[in-house]
Amino acid sequence: MLREAISRGGRMSARRHPATIADVAARAGVSQASVSRVLNGKPSVDPEIVRRVRRAVGELGYAPSMAARSLVHGRNQTVAMVVPDLGNPMFQGILEGVSVAAAGDGYRVLVADTVERVDDEEATALEARQRCDAVVLCAPRLPADRLERLVERIAPVVVVNRQLEAPGVPSVGVDYARGIRDLVDHLVGLGHRDLVYLAGPEPSRSNADRLRGIADAEAADADVRVRVLAGGSGLDDGAAAVEAVDAARRDGATAVMAFNDLVALGLLAALRRRGVDVPGELSVAGFDDIPMAAYASPALTTLSVPRAELGAQVWTRLRGLIAGEPVAHAVTFRPRLEVRESTAAPR
Amino acid sequence: MLREAISRGGRMSARRHPATIADVAARAGVSQASVSRVLNGKPSVDPEIVRRVRRAVGELGYAPSMAARSLVHGRNQTVAMVVPDLGNPMFQGILEGVSVAAAGDGYRVLVADTVERVDDEEATALEARQRCDAVVLCAPRLPADRLERLVERIAPVVVVNRQLEAPGVPSVGVDYARGIRDLVDHLVGLGHRDLVYLAGPEPSRSNADRLRGIADAEAADADVRVRVLAGGSGLDDGAAAVEAVDAARRDGATAVMAFNDLVALGLLAALRRRGVDVPGELSVAGFDDIPMAAYASPALTTLSVPRAELGAQVWTRLRGLIAGEPVAHAVTFRPRLEVRESTAAPR
DNA sequence: CTGTTAGCGCGTTCAA
DNA sequence: TTGAACGCGCTAACAG
């Protein structure tokens, strides 16, 4: 019989196109305005009307058109998140954090993966902004001047891991310089003096921050030396750098700090294959404290950054901006050193 | 007149609210219809008009309202992707694949993370559908009957890793049963007879598929035995299962197949800590072939599933549905066995 | 407390 | 080829 109803051309009240508020109004014998009021929980409406509207809504299977709603309100209830690489655990973590936090306020997030194409970043962000009420911008490699210009065109926006000159743009980030200094201190405390930094992508801002932290550390302690080697940001990059790293080791280096955990993990694997004992012959540390870090062999010493909390902070600020509240100041999280097994005293 | 515009309140072309098509029309001295035609690249428009419109658009920094557009067209150019857990590399991979594929057609994807809350899955999917033109549904634990009912309410939809009874709903997935059988064959070929399967989440459909594959394998070869142990789906779960796994080993088991790579990696770490040699004393295999698998110690034998391609396939089908094309049949990818170092002949 | 009216910004008829 | 007018579905102002 259900089949019958269907073949008959649709079930009772089943129009080909979704029901509109007008249909509901007609069926309930009231005005559209009343339907709207009921649906939006406006305070003073006759209980009887409420009843009839609810019934009509149920029978028609009515659902409001978000498009119409957006047009009227000028808001989407959607924010965009622009990321350079969804494959990176760091961004995944932030995305997840923002996503759940935003969901709590009825907002959803649109992902815009620029797939490492820095040149498309502005266009992507602009386009994303048109679809959404605000944007979370992760653009680690976009030159500062271009970034400054971009943010003012896509406001409201919260930028991640970039410090802006202009006020009015909240940013939340990680104090990479500070983190790396803490790591150097840890290593030096262990007795290391000759370190290597396996660098991240050249244009990456957070890489520059780490380099700055390293320079500070070198300046502070005369007999600490840090060699900078070209690395990258993925597992492959870490593995690929093994030659250079091992050469440095034979030349006297006793510890390596990788750009991030992925690089460290890749390096660890390659080192193992090569027969280099970690941390016996060489200490290795990462950055980010991705879940896998604790399960590596040996467990990776790293700097923990609160990804989820970071995402939540991003949302808090973004929500404020959308609501037109005064902009919150920038916040940066100081990474927490997580000492595990991959670092030890040199011998 | 430029002067006029300026004194009218702020910088040239800087109205408090974004410019509308009417503003452009006025400024260009043409009708809104003409502006619309120019912007949408309609064929026959006077070059002179085109010129003036373009100029006005530039001067005003005009950008069409997506909301209004959506209202007229009844389309968003946005699809939703409902996932149970964004932290899972499997879903991340698919998201990335769908995201880039969709972007190629001017579509964006909205993420809806149900955070493992199966009970909210329907509501989340429904809500997501209202905002978007279609949805990609990843609901591995939603009971079949509820799934069937859900999909017909949110069509157009493509379901991932679930086989549906009803036609009309394309699904793309992985042949887990087949994959696990290939793995059993590999292990048996190596000489293993007493295996253990570290199961995934109880209600997970793909876990059931693997179990079916295992049952088939057992039925096919009388002297192969597979013990099923409770596992999970994350690194922690794998590590937590080490007791049970080691007990099975001492009881004669020589190889373990984990629900996925994460579980296998967690187990590997725990086994190492416990001093159990892999693959010497015990062979271990995973599923999914996440990037880290190849860099594990020892490198993990696993079943490779083409995440990116899977995402692309999802998009192809979704696009077809949106365009109203006849539905494509379901596709399933057969995992490819990736033999590495964590499996070897028992001794 | 309810209904009527007027847009939100755009695409798309229909005449001219 | 161009422009005027209408409608997409909904909410907000204003009457009643």
Side-chain angles (χ1 to χ4, degrees):
Chain A
M1 53 208 98
L2 178 59
R3 177 170 295 288
E4 239 181 78
I6 293 175
S7 63
R8 212 187 320 131
R11 292 197 285 271
M12 161 196 63
S13 78
R15 308 171 44 141
R16 190 147 249 46
H17 298 297
T20 76
I21 199 173
D23 300 324
V24 177
R27 185 158 177 94
V30 299
S31 72
Q32 298 192 14
S34 290
V35 176
S36 177
R37 288 197 260 269
V38 173
L39 266 45
N40 295 315
K42 249 60 178 181
S44 48
V45 252
D46 189 301
E48 168 59 14
I49 296 232
V50 173
R51 229 180 42 69
R52 284 160 61 192
V53 169
R54 290 214 187 297
R55 210 165 79 90
V57 165
E59 293 173 343
L60 263 35
Y62 167 78
S65 153
M66 288 311 191
R69 213 164 234 257
S70 301
L71 180 56
V72 172
H73 286 136
R75 283 186 290 110
N76 246 348
Q77 301 285 103
T78 304
V79 298
M81 175 151 170
V82 180
V83 295
D85 173 22
L86 258 184
N88 188 315
M90 187 64 198
F91 299 126
Q92 289 163 2
I94 298 177
L95 171 58
E96 189 168 9
V98 174
S99 177
V100 315
D105 288 317
Y107 265 77
R108 298 250 94 117
V109 8
L110 197 69
V111 303
D113 190 343
T114 61
V115 201
E116 307 269 357
R117 302 174 58 85
V118 178
D119 291 337
D120 296 349
E121 234 151 32
E122 282 123 321
T124 302
L126 250 12
E127 195 265 357
R129 175 61 179 85
Q130 296 193 345
R131 301 175 183 268
C132 303
D133 302 343
V135 3
V136 178
L137 184 63
C138 302
R141 315 190 192 171
L142 192 65
D145 54 334
R146 284 168 63 186
L147 179 64
E148 296 277 356
R149 272 196 300 275
L150 179 59
V151 294
E152 72 181 35
R153 296 185 58 189
I154 61 175
V157 56
V158 170
V159 308
V160 176
N161 276 344
R162 299 286 303 244
Q163 197 67 34
L164 282 273
E165 283 304 324
V169 179
S171 75
V172 5
V174 174
D175 192 342
Y176 291 105
R178 181 72 212 204
I180 209 83
R181 283 205 60 174
D182 289 343
L183 178 57
V184 170
D185 288 348
H186 161 66
L187 261 13
V188 169
L190 246 27
H192 297 275
R193 292 294 178 274
D194 191 341
L195 318 175
V196 5
Y197 169 56
L198 202 47
E202 176 58 44
S204 160
R205 175 64 212 194
S206 73
N207 181 55
D209 289 343
R210 290 172 175 81
L211 284 171
R212 184 163 47 75
I214 287 172
D216 290 349
E218 282 185 304
D221 191 337
D223 47 46
V224 168
R225 170 191 177 194
V226 181
R227 319 175 187 218
V228 178
L229 261 38
S233 62
L235 287 164
D236 302 346
D237 299 314
V242 71
E243 291 277 1
V245 168
D246 200 25
R249 180 185 68 84
R250 286 191 305 266
D251 189 45
T254 58
V256 21
M257 306 178 287
F259 174 66
N260 65 20
D261 287 350
L262 250 23
V263 172
L265 260 19
L267 175 64
L268 234 38
L271 247 20
R272 187 186 315 121
R273 183 137 303 152
R274 210 180 176 81
V276 176
D277 181 54
V278 174
E281 302 177 85
L282 187 68
S283 283
V284 172
F287 210 120
D288 288 351
D289 194 24
I290 63 177
M292 187 63 206
Y295 291 96
S297 165
L300 191 68
T301 288
T302 185
L303 288 150
S304 170
V305 338
R307 287 181 294 283
E309 191 178 333
L310 216 143
Q313 286 289 340
V314 167
W315 172 243
T316 300
R317 281 165 176 61
L318 208 51
R319 184 183 47 191
L321 283 187
I322 293 174
E325 294 169 12
V327 295
H329 289 59
V331 275
T332 68
F333 289 92
R334 174 175 175 172
R336 180 170 44 76
L337 182 65
E338 201 68 55
V339 178
R340 292 202 263 253
E341 312 164 349
S342 65
T343 51
R347 57 175 186 199
Chain B
M1 54 208 105
L2 179 59
R3 176 170 295 289
E4 242 180 72
I6 293 177
S7 62
R8 206 175 343 117
R11 296 196 288 267
M12 164 194 65
S13 80
R15 310 175 40 147
R16 188 147 251 44
H17 299 295
T20 74
I21 197 173
D23 300 324
V24 178
R27 186 157 178 87
V30 300
S31 73
Q32 299 191 14
S34 292
V35 177
S36 177
R37 293 201 250 286
V38 172
L39 265 45
N40 295 313
K42 247 62 178 180
S44 47
V45 250
D46 189 300
E48 167 58 13
I49 295 236
V50 173
R51 227 180 41 70
R52 285 160 59 192
V53 169
R54 291 213 187 295
R55 209 166 79 90
V57 165
E59 294 172 342
L60 263 32
Y62 167 78
S65 153
M66 287 313 190
R69 238 192 162 98
S70 299
L71 181 56
V72 172
H73 286 135
R75 282 185 292 107
N76 249 349
Q77 300 285 101
T78 304
V79 298
M81 175 151 169
V82 180
V83 296
D85 173 22
L86 258 184
N88 188 315
M90 186 65 199
F91 299 125
Q92 290 166 0
I94 298 176
L95 170 59
E96 188 168 10
V98 173
S99 179
V100 316
D105 289 318
Y107 265 79
R108 297 250 95 112
V109 7
L110 197 70
V111 302
D113 189 342
T114 62
V115 201
E116 306 269 358
R117 301 175 57 85
V118 178
D119 291 337
D120 296 348
E121 234 151 35
E122 281 123 322
T124 302
L126 250 10
E127 196 265 355
R129 175 61 178 83
Q130 293 186 238
R131 300 176 185 269
C132 305
D133 301 344
V135 3
V136 178
L137 185 62
C138 302
R141 316 189 189 172
L142 192 65
D145 53 335
R146 285 168 63 186
L147 178 65
E148 297 277 356
R149 272 196 300 274
L150 178 59
V151 294
E152 72 181 37
R153 298 185 58 190
I154 62 176
V157 56
V158 169
V159 309
V160 175
N161 276 345
R162 298 286 304 245
Q163 196 67 34
L164 281 273
E165 282 303 325
V169 179
S171 75
V172 7
V174 175
D175 191 342
Y176 291 105
R178 182 71 211 205
I180 209 84
R181 283 205 61 174
D182 288 344
L183 178 56
V184 170
D185 288 349
H186 162 66
L187 261 12
V188 169
L190 246 27
H192 297 277
R193 292 294 177 274
D194 192 341
L195 317 175
V196 3
Y197 170 57
L198 203 45
E202 176 58 45
S204 159
R205 175 64 211 193
S206 73
N207 180 56
D209 288 343
R210 291 171 175 81
L211 284 171
R212 186 163 48 73
I214 287 173
D216 290 350
E218 282 185 304
D221 191 337
D223 46 45
V224 169
R225 171 194 178 191
V226 181
R227 318 176 189 218
V228 177
L229 261 37
S233 61
L235 286 164
D236 301 345
D237 300 313
V242 71
E243 292 276 0
V245 168
D246 199 25
R249 181 185 67 83
R250 287 193 304 267
D251 189 46
T254 57
V256 20
M257 306 177 286
F259 174 67
N260 65 22
D261 287 349
L262 249 24
V263 172
L265 258 21
L267 176 64
L268 234 39
L271 246 22
R272 185 186 317 120
R273 182 138 305 154
R274 211 182 176 81
V276 176
D277 179 55
V278 175
E281 302 175 86
L282 186 68
S283 283
V284 172
F287 209 120
D288 288 350
D289 194 23
I290 63 177
M292 186 64 206
Y295 291 96
S297 165
L300 192 66
T301 289
T302 186
L303 288 149
S304 169
V305 336
R307 286 180 296 283
E309 191 178 335
L310 216 144
Q313 285 290 339
V314 166
W315 172 245
T316 300
R317 280 162 178 64
L318 209 51
R319 183 184 47 190
L321 283 186
I322 293 174
E325 294 171 10
V327 294
H329 289 61
V331 274
T332 69
F333 289 90
R334 174 174 176 173
R336 179 170 43 77
L337 182 66
E338 201 69 52
V339 178
R340 292 201 263 253
E341 311 164 350
S342 66
T343 51
R347 59 178 183 199

